[in-house]
Amino acid sequence: MNLRIFDHVVDGFGFIYGIRGNKKSNRPRCILLYVPTNRPSSRSLNNQWYVKITDETGFTFLKENFPDLVFRNKVTEEEYVSVKKDNIVRVFHPVVSLETLIIGRKHPELRAFCAKLNEAGVAQKDIGIIGSTLIGFDLKRFHDYDLVVFGKEYVSVVQKMLRNFESLDTREVSKLAVEVGLKNNPIGYDFIQRVVRRRQRSAINFQRKEFAIKFAMTPHKEKILPMLAPDKEICLEGRVIDDEDSCIPPYSYKVVCDQKVFQVATYSFAFINSSYKNEPVRIFGTKRVGANLVTLDKPYHYIFSTEDL
C-alpha cells in the first residue's frame, strides 16, 4: 500500500486518520481526525455522524479505549497513534481528490483559488485537499478549505502570494484558541493562544471562504527524524538561526543556545511557524542521545518566541 504524508485513511472501526510519517512502515505515524458517533453532529457521511478530534484528545481517547492503536517505539520511547496497514479499509488521496473536485461545479471558490496558486507557479499536481472536503462530509456549516502543497520550493512562493489576500480576523483566531481541546492543553491557555495566532498566518479569506495551506515534501524527498534514544528532558533559551523547515513535517528549527546549535523538531502541527529566524525562543523537550537534537514529543513540550513577552 502506497501512502504519503497527509493521506487520510479509514480503519475497520470507521476511525479516520491523517498520515504524518513512517509511511513505508507497516505502522505509519498518524493522528486521529474523525470518530463516528451516535449523537447528532455537524459532519455526516453515508448517514453516519462524525465528530472532529484534536490531536491530544485523539491520542488520549485511543490510549484509554483502543491501546492497540497507540504505538510505542522501543528505541525513541515515543508513543503515537498508529494504524496497521492491514487494518486500513480506505485511503483518501489529497491530490487525486482535488483534481476531481475542481473539475466539477460544486466548489467554484476552490477552483478559483487553485488557479491563483497555478498563476503563482505551483503545479496542480502538487496541490491537494485535506480535512472535511477530502472526506466528502455533508456539513451543517462549511468552515474552510484545507489545502496541502507538496514541495519545499513552493513555500516562499505561496507565502508571498498569501500576503496579497485578507488574513483571518484576529477575533476569529481568538475563538480558535478557546476551543475545548486547546483550552485544556497542558501547556496552558495563554501560550496555546499565541501558538494558534502564529499558525493561523497561513489562513486567509478568499471569495468569502476561508482557506488554510499546509506544506509537505514530495514523496521521494520526505524526511524522517533519526531514531535516537532519549537522554533527558531539557529547557533551553536561545535564538532561531534557521526556520526553513518550520512548516514542513517533521517541523524543525535550528536554535543556537550557549554557542551550541540544536535541532528542535516535532511531528506536531501545533508548532508550525511558532518561531521565526532571529527570534529569541524558549524550548522544553527531550534531548536525544549522541546528538544536539531536541524533540517535542509530549503534550507539555513546546517551542515559542519570547520576542514580545
Side-chain angles (χ1 to χ4, degrees):
M1 179 182 294
N2 293 322
L3 298 174
R4 67 191 295 183
I5 290 179
F6 285 110
D7 279 352
H8 289 15
V9 300
V10 186
D11 71 2
F13 294 113
F15 299 160
I16 302 175
Y17 309 81
I19 301 296
R20 287 297 179 268
N22 302 354
K23 61 189 181 64
K24 293 183 179 179
S25 165
N26 185 49
R27 297 205 60 165
R29 180 188 290 262
C30 306
I31 60 169
L32 182 62
L33 297 173
Y34 307 101
V35 173
T37 178
N38 293 325
R39 296 182 178 182
S41 171
S42 61
R43 295 173 177 81
S44 64
L45 182 68
N46 299 326
N47 297 316
Q48 171 65 63
W49 286 308
Y50 283 83
V51 61
K52 186 176 181 178
I53 302 290
T54 58
D55 289 10
E56 186 56 33
T57 303
F59 175 83
T60 303
F61 166 74
L62 292 178
K63 188 169 183 178
E64 292 178 353
N65 299 282
F66 300 88
D68 288 346
L69 294 173
V70 174
F71 179 73
R72 180 179 175 82
N73 187 297
K74 293 180 180 179
V75 177
T76 66
E77 298 183 14
E78 287 181 276
E79 287 186 319
Y80 51 83
V81 175
S82 177
V83 57
K84 292 181 180 178
K85 285 185 177 179
D86 292 344
N87 294 335
I88 294 174
V89 299
R90 186 174 181 183
V91 180
F92 293 89
H93 299 291
V95 174
V96 175
S97 296
L98 178 59
E99 290 173 349
T100 302
L101 287 172
I102 61 177
I103 290 173
R105 298 182 178 181
K106 192 176 179 181
H107 301 276
E109 305 91 349
L110 180 59
R111 183 169 59 251
F113 190 77
C114 286
K116 292 291 185 182
L117 287 170
N118 299 157
E119 291 170 9
V122 183
Q124 189 60 49
K125 67 178 180 62
D126 294 323
I127 310 172
I129 188 79
I130 56 178
S132 294
T133 311
L134 171 59
I135 302 302
F137 284 129
D138 293 318
L139 302 172
K140 288 185 178 179
R141 184 181 73 85
F142 180 83
H143 186 255
D144 63 0
Y145 288 111
D146 280 311
L147 296 173
V148 56
V149 173
F150 293 95
K152 185 176 179 178
E153 66 274 17
Y154 293 132
V155 173
S156 60
V157 172
V158 173
Q159 289 177 339
K160 181 179 179 181
M161 187 197 88
L162 292 180
R163 288 196 287 269
N164 296 322
F165 296 98
E166 177 190 3
S167 60
L168 284 185
D169 188 281
T170 54
R171 289 170 296 179
E172 181 66 22
V173 175
S174 295
K175 289 178 185 177
L176 293 171
V178 297
E179 289 183 1
V180 173
L182 295 175
K183 187 171 63 175
N184 295 333
N185 191 290
I187 298 171
Y189 169 77
D190 290 338
F191 169 62
I192 203 66
Q193 187 182 46
R194 289 168 56 83
V195 170
V196 171
R197 286 179 179 276
R198 286 293 183 98
R199 198 170 70 195
Q200 287 302 114
R201 290 186 181 184
S202 64
I204 56 99
N205 287 310
F206 175 75
Q207 294 188 359
R208 298 184 179 180
K209 298 290 185 182
E210 293 177 13
F211 285 80
I213 297 183
K214 299 175 177 64
F215 299 94
M217 290 290 199
T218 49
H220 63 288
K221 292 183 179 180
E222 286 175 6
K223 297 180 179 180
I224 59 172
L225 295 177
M227 301 271 286
L228 298 173
D231 182 2
K232 59 183 178 181
E233 287 191 315
I234 187 171
C235 186
L236 299 172
E237 292 203 12
R239 186 171 294 274
V240 176
I241 59 172
D242 189 339
D243 64 357
E244 262 194 26
D245 293 329
S246 65
C247 59
I248 297 177
Y251 309 106
S252 178
Y253 302 83
K254 287 183 180 177
V255 177
V256 62
C257 177
D258 294 332
Q259 299 183 334
K260 290 183 180 179
V261 176
F262 291 85
Q263 179 187 6
V264 181
T266 181
Y267 285 97
S268 172
F269 178 66
F271 297 105
I272 178 175
N273 292 141
S274 62
S275 304
Y276 296 104
K277 186 176 180 180
N278 295 324
E279 284 188 339
V281 289
R282 187 175 300 156
I283 300 154
F284 185 53
T286 303
K287 184 184 179 302
R288 296 289 159 178
V289 170
N292 286 340
L293 171 64
V294 177
T295 58
L296 311 181
D297 49 86
K298 298 287 193 299
Y300 52 84
H301 286 171
Y302 57 77
I303 175 173
F304 70 92
S305 171
T306 58
E307 181 90 6
D308 53 358
L309 285 182

